[in-house]
Amino acid sequence: MKASILRSVRSAVSRSSSSNHLLTRTFATESVPERKVAVLGAAGGIGQPLALLMKLNPLVSKLALYDIGATPGVAADVGHVNTRSEVTGYMGEEQLGKALEGSDVVIIPAGVPRKPGMTRDDLFNINAGIVKSLCTAIAKYCPNALVNMISNPVNSTVPIAAEVFKKAGTYDEKKLFGVTTLDVVRAKTFYAGKANVPVAEVNVPVVGGHAGITILPLFSQATPKANLTDDTIVALTKRTQDGGTEVVEAKAGKGSATLSMAYAGALFADACLKGLNGVPDVVECSFVQSTVTELPFFASKVKLGKNGVESVLDLGPLSDFEKEGLEKLMPELKASIEKGIQFANAN
Ligand SMILES: NC(=O)C1=CN([C@@H]2O[C@H](COP(=O)(O)OP(=O)(O)OC[C@H]3O[C@@H](n4cnc5c(N)ncnc54)[C@H](O)[C@@H]3O)[C@@H](O)[C@H]2O)C=CC1
Ligand SMILES: O=C([O-])CC(=O)C(=O)O
């Protein structure tokens, strides 16, 4: 009797372990392939919480944390979290190549943040050079990676990256993204508050660019629908456009949005990974090469696929207020794009 129980337990264990093994294999090779993500600027205000959030993402198998300093500590700390990915810290330019090699997605929050009274464009002089040198290394060590540009001014750093990649002969417009997800995150939060709807159900496209009036939330397309007054829409639009400044002022000299940005950056990187893995219908707003307007780069809804951008979606129907906003933002966005292109070609 005992022997027969033992036999059936053994056989159940062996059945279950072989099916587990099969499951693990299917899981590893089909549904969840190996994916390396590199974070450049990983020891910073955004970089650290972003590193943690990427460590929590089961789609990541390798996480490379690069900065000019302090990454060994961040990597040791984040690396103790018991999730799938293997974490390595890289410090200093001589280790940048190793950090980048084999990356599927590179997230760039490297650069200085604003202080009160500054515009994002005031960061150009420092951050343009940082982005240029990091993109030169990306072209060399992981030219096929999807690049998620967080460093400001995004309206200029994305065109800089494009020019660097063009010069290196590696430019693929499907693989370069300005991260504008925080604008969407803010628009959703602020809309849910005013419309009194559950925030988790809210969708609001945000188009244009990522600075002041170039940020254009399309509340006329927001769902769930709500009957908000024109004044409320004007106020929501302004608050979304000034969201970054609201945080800069509240932090009073201690930097800009880091935690909400890490959340937004992790959301966008997750969408990129899902697209790469063949998950259908992944759509996020992003500042990409575009023919949606006459400008060469523009943020709008983008469908993500196995090669990055699968398609850039149209703006859809705009209210008169949004049409006005679109017209007003074009000159500033055009100038910021041109400034980036000129910098990349002059330096
Ligand atoms: N796209 C967006 O929505 C947002 C963008 N930002 C931008 O993100 C950037 C970073 O912001 P924070 O993390 O708050 O700044 P931070 O100063 O806390 O961190 C920046 C990190 O970049 C590192 N760094 C500097 N030069 C580097 C280089 N050559 N290679 C690698 N790492 C380098 C620094 O050592 C530092 O650890 C800023 O430009 C900020 O304006 C911030 C919030 C939202
Ligand atoms: O405002 C800043 O300087 C940082 C940023 O881009 C944002 O929070 O949207």
Side-chain angles (χ1 to χ4, degrees):
M1 178 71 176
K2 261 191 185 160
S4 84
I5 290 174
L6 203 66
R7 258 199 316 275
S8 61
V9 168
R10 270 196 196 129
S11 113
V13 167
S14 108
R15 267 200 318 272
S16 101
S17 66
S18 72
S19 67
N20 271 347
H21 178 61
L22 205 84
L23 262 180
T24 319
R25 266 189 18 218
T26 315
F27 198 65
T29 54
E30 285 168 28
S31 1
V32 188
E34 303 280 303
R35 294 288 177 201
K36 177 173 172 181
V37 172
V39 180
L40 312 184
I46 296 167
Q48 293 201 35
L50 179 58
L52 174 61
L53 292 172
M54 295 319 294
K55 176 72 174 118
L56 300 184
N57 189 320
L59 301 183
V60 182
S61 57
K62 277 201 175 120
L63 183 59
L65 304 180
Y66 173 79
D67 204 302
I68 48 177
T71 29
V74 178
D77 188 356
V78 168
H80 287 185
V81 173
N82 60 324
T83 54
R84 180 186 180 206
S85 54
E86 182 190 298
V87 181
T88 314
Y90 299 91
M91 187 168 70
E93 235 180 299
E94 61 291 350
Q95 296 189 358
L96 179 55
K98 276 266 168 286
L100 290 172
E101 258 169 19
S103 293
D104 297 287
V105 176
V106 180
I107 315 175
I108 313 184
V112 289
R114 284 201 282 166
K115 288 191 185 330
M118 292 170 84
T119 65
R120 289 180 183 81
D121 186 58
D122 292 332
L123 306 172
F124 186 98
N125 287 345
I126 300 179
N127 290 354
I130 292 174
V131 162
K132 191 175 175 215
S133 71
L134 292 175
C135 289
T136 304
I138 290 170
K140 186 166 172 198
Y141 294 105
C142 56
N144 295 319
L146 304 192
V147 175
N148 293 185
M149 183 68 72
I150 292 174
S151 310
N152 270 316
V154 167
N155 293 353
S156 303
T157 52
V158 169
I160 291 172
E163 291 305 301
V164 170
F165 297 151
K166 280 181 201 165
K167 273 195 192 165
T170 66
Y171 183 52
D172 180 348
E173 73 274 12
K174 293 184 171 60
K175 297 190 168 175
L176 176 58
F177 303 87
V179 181
T180 58
T181 320
L182 182 52
D183 302 318
V184 176
V185 164
R186 286 177 178 141
K188 287 179 174 179
T189 304
F190 304 156
Y191 179 84
K194 288 286 180 201
N196 208 11
V197 292
V199 70
E201 287 170 27
V202 171
N203 265 310
V204 185
V206 182
V207 303
H210 179 68
I213 63 158
T214 73
I215 299 167
L216 185 62
L218 303 181
F219 288 112
S220 69
Q221 296 177 22
T223 54
K225 289 269 168 238
N227 252 340
L228 300 178
T229 63
D230 289 353
D231 284 353
T232 305
I233 297 290
V234 170
L236 279 175
T237 302
K238 178 135 179 52
R239 188 164 181 214
T240 306
Q241 291 174 332
D242 294 345
T245 308
E246 186 180 318
V247 178
V248 169
E249 280 168 4
K251 290 199 173 177
K254 296 232 158 64
S256 55
T258 52
L259 304 173
S260 50
M261 181 59 237
Y263 168 72
L267 270 186
F268 189 71
D270 179 65
C272 287
L273 290 165
K274 284 186 176 134
L276 286 177
N277 291 354
V279 176
D281 303 321
V282 182
V283 175
E284 290 293 335
C285 289
S286 179
F287 184 66
V288 293
Q289 182 172 312
S290 174
T291 53
V292 160
T293 69
E294 69 262 31
L295 298 182
F297 294 92
F298 203 82
S300 66
K301 282 194 208 166
V302 170
K303 191 168 179 197
L304 294 156
K306 289 188 174 176
N307 298 304
V309 175
E310 206 164 280
S311 55
V312 178
L313 308 187
D314 282 338
L315 301 185
L318 304 188
S319 67
D320 287 346
F321 173 64
E322 290 159 1
K323 281 183 194 152
E324 223 175 89
L326 178 61
E327 212 170 294
K328 277 196 204 139
L329 74 82
M330 297 298 272
E332 179 182 329
L333 186 52
K334 183 170 191 278
S336 300
I337 293 169
E338 281 168 0
K339 187 172 175 181
I341 294 173
Q342 265 164 26
F343 171 86
N345 291 315
N347 290 274

